[in-house]
């Protein structure tokens, strides 16, 4: 079964409380913000800090997303682990919760050949009852899905697309060109700087970390494009690109996104991994947030 997921999916942050534990009520509030803007949900990914969540927490986050969304928008959950065995164990739990699809990052830390990636993804797609998106983010994993590999995997009836977060237009177009004649296999854009161009070139959806901070502004890129206002979509992209430049010049996501949300009054807590902001960096983020809020007024 191939589901066509369109528009904006927010790579939702995972809120923590003052003790660093899951704040599921806070997650519900963040999901509500996204639904109000017309966005779907991508949970348990990079912005969701999957790398510091245990399996029980990943399941709890996904369950909260599915139950809060309640069918009003797509929910895609990330399940990728280093081993095929662990990915399958988590994937079967996640599939039982009612997600629309799962996303699987390439195994990380260990270098793999392309045929090994094919075997990994094929085993996962064979075993799971929900559709599978490949997830390419080589800067974080050390493994790259090549366009020819994506094309080969696109022949699998349960692999419905790829999320490309390599960060370059060259990578995105490589996947779009490789699978352009395969019906039902979608390319999802990861970098917030390429949302508009991705839609122009044929991406069905984007998965946006910045949508946590500016849900309506990100959605405007898609909504205007979908309505045929291509120039309006491009202008919406320009404002988002500036936000991305200003925010990520201080620190990478998810920490920078979470800090911005805190300064906007959102109760999302701190990131769990070892990151710290000095006074100057916090002031830079505060100025970025102030500029954003003024533009929304």
């Amino acid at each position: 079964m191939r589901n066509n997921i369109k528009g904006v999916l927010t790579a939702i942050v995972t809120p923590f409380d003052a003790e660093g534990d899951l704040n599921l009520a806070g997650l519900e509030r963040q999901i509500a913000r996204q639904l109000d803007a017309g966005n779907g949900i991508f949970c348990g990914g990079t912005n969701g800090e999957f790398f510091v969540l245990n399996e029980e927490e990943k399941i709890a986050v996904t369950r909260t997303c599915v139950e809060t969304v309640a069918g009003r928008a797509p929910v895609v959950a990330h399940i990728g682990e280093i081993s095929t065995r662990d990915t399958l164990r988590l994937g079967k739990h996640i599939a039982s919760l009612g997600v629309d699809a799962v996303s699987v990052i390439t195994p990380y830390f260990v270098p793999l050949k392309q045929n090994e990636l094919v075997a990994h993804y094929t085993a996962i797609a064979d075993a799971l009852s929900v559709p599978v998106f490949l997830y390419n983010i080589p800067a974080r994993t050390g493994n790259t899905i090549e366009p020819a590999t994506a094309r080969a995997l696109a022949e699998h009836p349960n692999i419905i697309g790829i999320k490309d977060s390599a960060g370059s237009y060259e990578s995105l177009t490589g996947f779009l060109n490789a699978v352009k004649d395969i019906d039902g296999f979608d390319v999802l854009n990861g970098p917030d700087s390429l949302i508009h161009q991705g839609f122009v070139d044929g991406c069905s959806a984007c998965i946006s970390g910045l949508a946590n901070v500016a849900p309506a502004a990100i959605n405007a890129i898609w909504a205007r494009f979908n309505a045929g206002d291509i120039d309006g979509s491009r202008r919406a992209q320009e404002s988002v690109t500036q936000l991305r430049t200003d925010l990520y010049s201080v620190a990478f996501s998810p920490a920078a996104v979470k800090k911005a949300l805190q300064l906007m009054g959102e109760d999302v807590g701190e990131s769990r991994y070892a990151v710290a902001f000095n006074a100057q960096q916090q002031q830079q983020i505060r100025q970025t947030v102030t500029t954003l809020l003024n533009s929304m007024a």
Side-chain angles (χ1 to χ4, degrees), residues 16-160:
F16 301 121
D17 63 21
E19 285 71 44
D21 296 324
L22 286 185
N23 177 1
L24 296 179
L27 177 58
E28 291 174 2
R29 289 190 290 272
Q30 293 309 308
I31 294 167
R33 291 178 64 237
Q34 299 304 324
L35 294 178
D36 287 345
N39 299 333
I41 300 297
F42 179 87
C43 62
T46 303
N47 278 274
E49 298 181 70
F50 80 92
F51 45 88
V52 292
L53 299 180
N54 62 37
E55 186 171 286
E56 181 181 345
E57 290 172 326
K58 292 173 184 178
I59 293 168
V61 164
T62 305
R63 180 183 294 111
T64 299
C65 289
V66 171
E67 292 178 353
T68 305
V69 171
R72 292 173 287 173
V75 176
V76 177
H78 172 250
I79 62 167
E81 304 288 347
I82 293 178
S83 73
T84 308
R85 177 190 176 98
D86 287 345
T87 302
L88 282 173
R89 185 180 65 248
L90 176 61
K92 289 175 181 179
H93 283 301
I94 295 297
S96 70
L97 300 177
V99 295
D100 294 283
V102 294
S103 172
V104 185
I105 201 171
T106 58
Y108 42 96
F109 188 77
V110 289
L112 297 177
K113 297 185 287 293
Q114 294 300 300
N115 67 302
E116 292 167 332
L117 290 175
V118 169
H120 175 71
Y121 281 112
T122 299
I124 292 164
D126 283 347
L128 294 186
S129 60
V130 294
V132 173
F133 282 104
L134 315 175
Y135 183 173
N136 185 53
I137 183 167
R140 297 288 172 263
T141 67
N143 287 307
T144 300
I145 301 172
E146 295 179 358
T149 301
R151 180 178 174 82
L153 287 166
E155 300 290 347
H156 194 292
N158 201 36
I159 298 178
I160 64 169

Side-chain angles (χ1 to χ4, degrees), residues 1-294:
M1 176 180 174
R2 294 192 178 232
N3 296 342
N4 188 246
I5 293 175
K6 294 184 177 182
V8 176
L9 277 73
T10 299
I12 198 84
V13 299
T14 300
F16 301 121
D17 63 21
E19 285 71 44
D21 296 324
L22 286 185
N23 177 1
L24 296 179
L27 177 58
E28 291 174 2
R29 289 190 290 272
Q30 293 309 308
I31 294 167
R33 291 178 64 237
Q34 299 304 324
L35 294 178
D36 287 345
N39 299 333
I41 300 297
F42 179 87
C43 62
T46 303
N47 278 274
E49 298 181 70
F50 80 92
F51 45 88
V52 292
L53 299 180
N54 62 37
E55 186 171 286
E56 181 181 345
E57 290 172 326
K58 292 173 184 178
I59 293 168
V61 164
T62 305
R63 180 183 294 111
T64 299
C65 289
V66 171
E67 292 178 353
T68 305
V69 171
R72 292 173 287 173
V75 176
V76 177
H78 172 250
I79 62 167
E81 304 288 347
I82 293 178
S83 73
T84 308
R85 177 190 176 98
D86 287 345
T87 302
L88 282 173
R89 185 180 65 248
L90 176 61
K92 289 175 181 179
H93 283 301
I94 295 297
S96 70
L97 300 177
V99 295
D100 294 283
V102 294
S103 172
V104 185
I105 201 171
T106 58
Y108 42 96
F109 188 77
V110 289
L112 297 177
K113 297 185 287 293
Q114 294 300 300
N115 67 302
E116 292 167 332
L117 290 175
V118 169
H120 175 71
Y121 281 112
T122 299
I124 292 164
D126 283 347
L128 294 186
S129 60
V130 294
V132 173
F133 282 104
L134 315 175
Y135 183 173
N136 185 53
I137 183 167
R140 297 288 172 263
T141 67
N143 287 307
T144 300
I145 301 172
E146 295 179 358
T149 301
R151 180 178 174 82
L153 287 166
E155 300 290 347
H156 194 292
N158 201 36
I159 298 178
I160 64 169
I162 183 168
K163 174 184 185 266
D164 181 39
S165 294
S168 73
Y169 183 57
E170 179 183 13
S171 177
L172 191 64
T173 55
F175 289 120
L176 285 165
N177 290 334
V179 302
K180 61 185 177 183
D181 60 340
I182 299 182
D183 185 48
F185 186 89
D186 293 325
V187 177
L188 279 55
N189 172 65
D192 286 298
S193 58
L194 295 174
I195 296 173
H196 168 74
Q197 193 60 50
F199 286 137
V200 169
D201 291 348
C203 289
S204 62
C206 71
I207 298 180
S208 170
L210 280 183
N212 286 285
V213 178
I218 296 292
N219 188 270
I221 303 173
W222 160 250
R224 294 175 186 179
F225 174 83
N226 194 43
D229 182 6
I230 307 305
D231 190 56
S233 173
R234 178 189 56 77
R235 292 195 305 271
Q237 175 70 69
E238 289 172 356
S239 65
V240 167
T241 300
Q242 187 60 53
L243 171 62
R244 180 180 187 272
T245 299
D246 293 344
L247 190 58
Y248 291 167
S249 67
V250 182
F252 189 68
S253 186
V257 166
K258 269 195 159 178
K259 183 59 67 176
L261 283 169
Q262 289 175 15
L263 295 172
M264 293 170 68
E266 298 294 334
D267 182 19
V268 295
E270 302 288 343
S271 292
R272 271 186 181 172
Y273 62 104
V275 61
F277 296 95
N278 60 35
Q280 180 182 0
Q281 290 171 324
Q282 292 196 54
Q283 182 57 28
Q284 286 179 261
I285 295 176
R286 185 174 288 104
Q287 289 174 349
T288 298
V289 167
T290 298
T291 300
L292 171 66
L293 295 176
N294 288 340

